[in-house]
Amino acid sequence: MRIEKCYFCSGPVYPGHGTMFVRNDCKTFRFCKSKCLKNFKKKRNPRKTRWTKAFRKASGKELTVDNSLEFEKRRNIAVKYKRELWSKTVEAMMKVEGIKRKRQAQFILNRLKKGKQLQKAEDISEVKKNIHLIKAPHADKAKVMEEKMVQKLQEDVEMGDN
Amino acid sequence: MALYNFKKIMVVPTSKEFIDITLSKTQRKTPTVIHKHYQIHRIRHFYMRKVKFTQQNYHDRLSQILTDFPKLDDIHPFYADLMNVLYDKDHYKLALGQINIAKNLIDNVSKDYVRLMKYGDSLYRCKQLKRAALGRMCTIMKRQKQSLEYLEQVRQHLSRLPTIDPNTRTLLLCGYPNVGKSSFINKVTRADVEVQPYAFTTKSLFVGHMDYKYLRWQVVDTPGILDHPLEERNTIEMQAITALAHLRSAVLYVMDLSEQCGHTLKQQLELFNNIRPLFANKPLLVVANKCDIKKISELTEEDKACDKLLAARVDSKMKGKKVHDVLNRLHLAMPAKRDDKPRPPFIPEGAKVGRKTMEVDAPKRKTERDLEMEMGDDYVLDLQKYWDLMNQDEKHDVIPEIWEGHNIADYIDPEIMKNLEDLEKEEELKVKAGEYESEEESEDEEMQEIRQLAKQIREKRKMKIVCSKEKDVHGPRMPRTVKKVERKTLEKEMGGLGLDMTGKDAVSRFSFSSHYAVNARRSRSVTVLKKRKREASVAPTSRTRSQSASRPPRDQSGVRDPKMAKKAKKLMKSQQKDMNRQGKKGEADRHVFDLKPKHLFSGKRKSGTNDHR
């Protein structure tokens, strides 16, 4: 029992799901759902179809080279069953999974940092240019003027007094 | 070898057929449509093509006939002679020659007419030339009628000739008619030659095959030969003579002892002597046939003498010379012994053991089936007990395969623990270096405020865009001043922008039309002043929306009294009626409606409605 990888979207194909296509040169292609199969038949390149994992990895949107990813690899060497090896492997697997997720998340966060900076700069410029849409330029001017006038009157009065 | 081509000669059509085929082919395979208004070079090309096509066809077929039929000089003399005997060499050559001439004539005709066609200046002329050309070619073919018929017959006969290979081992049967040659060949081979009591039952050569000493032998049966000189022989006999003359074979001269064939022994002997020169260089055997009817011992003395004479002259070699030739070329090689060491063949031990076990019944291993029988209902098929693991007690473990979407088999690695340690160390280092610390957005209040404002600005802008899109642009464009702006909206708008709208002053100061109103008032006040000189009138007191007062609405401007207004309205309506009836939006609407679109009213409705069919 194995969980295979869909050729197109790189998603998991559980046993009893999906379809397999065998080509005349004996290469097999597994698909998790008909969407992937139909795209394949249309001869679309998964590396150019934006929603697939292949695209994301090829365009650098996701973590590609990392030590934690080297653990899950198909090794074509048969290993005889040993209880302790298997149990250790299961434990290791869980730990590796945790580390892998952390690293993947961090990678994406780093990628998005730049966007945040740009957003900040844009906000500032927007406010500078278009503040007049929500606040009239001389909105507080009247008050200020009034206060000034009041102040002046007071001064005049004082002056008059003196 | 010319041997097999006799069957592959193409059918020679009769002259009429030939003409029909070629002309119909020309009709079908060349373009047929031409008009007289086409350019002259096109017309010429069209007709030239037809002439050339016809010529090509004739040429091809005739060439094929010429190449298919065998040239008498190129084939084995046996066949050449045979064909001469059967079909007359001269006639044959003549026929083929005629065909050749016809081919050349047709080529010439086509060349001439193509040359002439270049000077054809109208469709009619070119057409006539083409007719003439084709006509001449067909006449030439008509004249070949006789040759073609003859060749067709030759072909049919040729294809039915027996395939006698002149180079292999052959036995030739000859003798008087009715002596028993055909019966002999029937017995010896699988051939089925007609045997009848009358003479000349066999009219041509027949071949049968038999096996002797693991070799294939041809046995050729000939029609009987009568005793007269060569010049007087007929076609049938000539075939036999030809075969005798050319085939390098062993000759079996068959004699009828009982004289049932109608000829005495003496006559047969004479014949034998006459054709003896033909037997030169060939092994000869005299066969005394029909000895069941009359045994050799019953022959008279005369006859016996003849027999003895015959026997003395008999060469009983049956072998052809060929076999000796072959033997000379074979040589069996044996490796010479190097030293005295014995080198017996090597047989591995396993083979010997295997052979022994095969011979003796070995005790069988206990099978699963036996177990099943023993345990009855308790039996459970457990294949895991045969597994060969490092620890034998782990055999019956349940092995996990999948965890959370991952295959455990992909992680199995003897060095996994080491790798995991390395990874964890790395991770620690990374954590220490602070890679995982999220940069606290230490945004001061200012930044937050700016963000808020930016958001508001964006929203406001979007709203404005949406409102602008909702404007009605299909009506007439009225100036802004026509619309009445309510005080409430003005207050709300300006208040939203942060301005103080409480005072009456403020409204007038900031309202747009009020600004206009000021100017208008200013301008009007001048004219009013002028007018005042003439009339006394009241100065405008309130600064209300004086704009609307200065511009009367359209249906009241230029109208004197209500009567006129009514009339004007009526006129307007009557004009409007027309346009309304036609569903026009206005005077300038010239759209033509398609009330009966063709796709909805024509054609069969396959599986739709009349709305969309």
Side-chain angles (χ1 to χ4, degrees), chain B residues 519-540 550:
Chain B
N519 285 345
R521 194 167 54 83
R522 280 205 204 119
S523 63
R524 212 168 17 94
S525 59
V526 169
T527 56
V528 164
L529 278 168
K530 280 196 184 156
K531 270 195 181 168
R532 260 197 214 147
K533 281 186 182 164
R534 283 184 259 147
E535 306 158 355
S537 58
V538 180
S550 70

Side-chain angles (χ1 to χ4, degrees), chain A residues 1-3 12 14 72 86 89-101, chain B residues 399-411:
Chain A
M1 213 70 83
R2 257 192 92 81
I3 298 176
Y14 277 81
E72 184 166 9
W86 246 252
T89 304
V90 172
E91 285 169 23
M93 210 159 89
M94 299 186 200
K95 288 191 200 150
V96 165
E97 187 64 24
I99 295 173
K100 186 161 57 155
R101 283 190 195 166
Chain B
I399 304 173
E401 287 174 29
I402 293 173
W403 176 76
E404 258 201 30
H406 300 282
N407 294 311
I408 292 178
D410 288 342
Y411 284 83

Side-chain angles (χ1 to χ4, degrees), chain B residues 167-420:
Chain B
N167 296 329
T168 67
R169 307 160 279 280
T170 327
L171 296 176
L172 199 55
L173 298 165
C174 59
Y176 259 99
N178 236 344
V179 296
K181 303 185 287 295
S182 304
S183 317
F184 179 71
I185 197 177
N186 280 347
K187 283 275 179 249
V188 162
T189 69
R190 272 202 76 195
D192 206 2
V193 186
E194 227 187 301
V195 175
Q196 295 283 349
Y198 59 86
F200 285 105
T201 319
T202 314
K203 294 190 230 352
S204 66
L205 302 171
F206 283 96
V207 191
H209 293 83
M210 61 176 232
D211 294 320
Y212 176 70
K213 290 199 175 167
Y214 306 106
L215 295 167
R216 268 248 133 147
W217 294 79
Q218 272 180 148
V219 185
V220 180
D221 180 23
T222 66
I225 314 170
L226 293 171
D227 192 12
H228 31 96
L230 192 66
E231 300 79 39
E232 291 173 26
R233 293 201 184 280
N234 59 26
T235 322
I236 302 175
E237 291 172 332
M238 277 309 291
Q239 289 183 48
I241 301 291
T242 319
L244 274 174
H246 291 280
L247 291 176
R248 213 180 54 170
S249 62
V251 181
L252 269 75
Y253 185 76
V254 184
M255 297 188 64
D256 186 357
L257 289 179
S258 62
E259 296 179 8
Q260 260 195 353
C261 59
H263 306 279
T264 60
L265 268 177
K266 224 181 184 176
Q267 283 176 325
Q268 295 184 35
L269 270 174
E270 256 199 62
L271 173 65
F272 179 73
N273 285 329
N274 281 341
I275 57 178
R276 211 162 21 116
L278 287 169
F279 301 157
N281 235 8
K282 299 190 182 70
L284 171 68
L285 196 67
V286 178
V287 177
N289 208 7
K290 302 195 191 171
C291 45
D292 49 342
I293 304 167
K294 190 173 182 185
K295 294 201 184 134
I296 294 180
S297 45
E298 289 169 21
L299 288 174
T300 58
E301 247 204 22
E302 231 183 57
D303 305 326
K304 264 202 190 157
C306 313
D307 286 330
K308 271 198 180 167
L309 181 67
L310 280 176
R313 302 166 103 180
V314 159
D315 231 49
S316 60
K317 274 194 297 179
M318 271 282 276
K319 291 193 190 140
K321 294 175 195 159
K322 228 186 196 175
V323 182
H324 276 294
D325 288 333
V326 173
L327 271 177
N328 285 340
R329 287 195 221 122
L330 289 175
H331 170 68
L332 182 64
M334 289 284 295
K337 287 210 170 172
R338 209 166 37 170
D339 51 22
D340 287 327
K341 188 169 170 188
R343 288 191 171 85
F346 172 70
I347 302 171
E349 280 295 323
K352 285 191 190 158
V353 169
R355 194 173 279 180
K356 261 195 215 156
T357 52
M358 265 169 52
E359 290 162 13
V360 178
D361 248 340
K364 280 185 284 187
R365 196 186 60 196
K366 195 170 192 187
T367 59
E368 285 292 320
R369 180 79 181 136
D370 292 337
L371 263 179
E372 192 181 341
M373 303 302 264
E374 269 175 41
M375 290 167 61
D377 274 342
D378 302 328
Y379 174 71
V380 176
L381 174 64
D382 179 26
L383 290 172
Q384 289 182 325
K385 67 183 177 213
Y386 293 118
W387 283 3
D388 172 28
L389 300 173
M390 310 287 265
N391 301 351
Q392 296 298 313
D393 51 347
E394 290 173 0
K395 270 193 214 177
H396 295 272
D397 266 2
V398 175
I399 304 173
E401 287 174 29
I402 293 173
W403 176 76
E404 258 201 30
H406 300 282
N407 294 311
I408 292 178
D410 288 342
Y411 284 83
I412 298 290
D413 188 11
E415 296 173 14
I416 192 169
M417 296 319 289
K418 188 166 85 94
N419 291 343
L420 180 65

Side-chain angles (χ1 to χ4, degrees), chain A residues 4-150:
Chain A
E4 306 283 352
K5 271 215 174 312
C6 172
Y7 168 81
F8 200 82
C9 66
S10 317
V13 186
Y14 277 81
H17 289 254
T19 45
M20 176 160 82
F21 165 64
V22 182
R23 209 163 53 178
N24 273 356
D25 60 355
C26 301
K27 184 157 190 238
T28 54
F29 298 86
R30 288 178 194 268
F31 303 100
C32 58
K33 49 194 185 284
S34 64
K35 175 181 182 182
C36 300
L37 175 61
K38 282 181 185 166
N39 272 307
F40 175 79
K41 280 201 225 164
K42 287 187 180 167
K43 294 191 175 182
R44 291 214 181 127
N45 189 355
R47 285 162 160 266
K48 292 199 182 165
T49 319
R50 294 192 81 91
W51 52 273
T52 56
K53 264 289 190 261
F55 172 86
R56 306 213 81 215
K57 297 230 154 138
S59 58
K61 297 197 192 293
E62 278 191 9
L63 188 61
T64 342
V65 262
D66 191 50
N67 281 339
S68 63
L69 297 171
E70 296 297 314
F71 279 78
E72 184 166 9
K73 194 168 57 161
R74 191 156 184 173
R75 288 159 257 260
N76 289 323
I77 309 169
V79 178
K80 279 199 184 170
Y81 175 73
K82 251 188 284 185
R83 196 181 291 163
E84 49 150 325
L85 178 65
W86 246 252
S87 54
K88 280 214 190 120
T89 304
V90 172
E91 285 169 23
M93 210 159 89
M94 299 186 200
K95 288 191 200 150
V96 165
E97 187 64 24
I99 295 173
K100 186 161 57 155
R101 283 190 195 166
K102 243 198 327 181
R103 289 195 188 176
Q104 279 173 341
Q106 193 55 38
F107 182 83
I108 292 175
L109 276 172
N110 290 348
R111 191 162 56 87
L112 297 175
K113 269 187 209 161
K114 178 84 181 163
K116 296 218 172 98
Q117 287 171 10
L118 291 173
Q119 184 72 359
K120 212 185 203 180
E122 213 184 287
D123 280 344
I124 294 173
S125 80
E126 177 98 47
V127 166
K128 270 200 201 148
K129 283 192 205 162
N130 296 328
I131 190 70
H132 61 270
L133 288 176
I134 53 172
K135 201 172 178 198
H138 52 278
D140 296 323
K141 245 197 211 171
K143 261 197 197 154
V144 170
M145 287 282 283
E146 244 190 85
E147 283 175 13
K148 272 197 185 165
M149 286 186 78
V150 163

Side-chain angles (χ1 to χ4, degrees), chain B residues 427-456:
Chain B
E427 193 64 20
E428 265 183 56
L429 289 172
K430 278 200 177 176
V431 171
K432 272 195 203 153
E435 274 188 36
Y436 291 115
E437 274 169 26
S438 59
E439 276 173 27
E440 302 275 311
E441 312 251 316
S442 52
E443 280 194 341
D444 32 345
E445 269 200 40
E446 201 191 317
M447 204 51 229
Q448 280 182 353
E449 230 188 275
I450 289 176
R451 226 171 253 191
Q452 266 274 6
L453 286 173
K455 194 167 160 199
Q456 280 177 5

